[in-house]
Amino acid sequence: MRIAVAVEALTDQVFERMMTNNVLSNLWLSNLVVGDMKAKRDGSIIFISSIGGLKSSTVIAMYGVTKAADIALCRSLAAEWGQYGIRVNVIAPGLIE
């Protein structure tokens, strides 16, 4: 799937697929492991996002939106699950050659 889609050309279907691949998949996987982590009162979840989630781009605008959502999801889970000793972090690399 191409991620460089002009905002005005973006269809609901493409955006929904991007959200599913980049955000919902992290939520689903986190929910699969959080029960065991809560029981142990320990654990670490690491998301891979992108600098695109922190800095706007004219080339990959909607990709950046989904990566910003990843970062927000990470912060929310960290706030909610931190009381159980679960760390939730995000790595947001830039362009890698």
Side-chain angles (χ1 to χ4, degrees), residues 1 3 15 17-26 46-57 60-75 89-94:
M1 176 176 69
I3 60 172
F15 184 69
R17 187 182 322 154
M18 291 174 76
M19 288 297 289
T20 297
N21 289 344
N22 295 339
V23 184
L24 288 175
S25 60
N26 284 332
I46 301 172
F47 292 171
I48 305 297
S49 183
S50 167
I51 194 72
L54 299 169
K55 184 177 179 184
S56 298
S57 167
I60 55 171
M62 289 298 101
Y63 174 80
V65 167
T66 66
K67 291 305 182 175
D70 266 339
I71 294 167
L73 176 62
C74 175
R75 289 177 176 158
N89 294 50
V90 64
I91 299 170

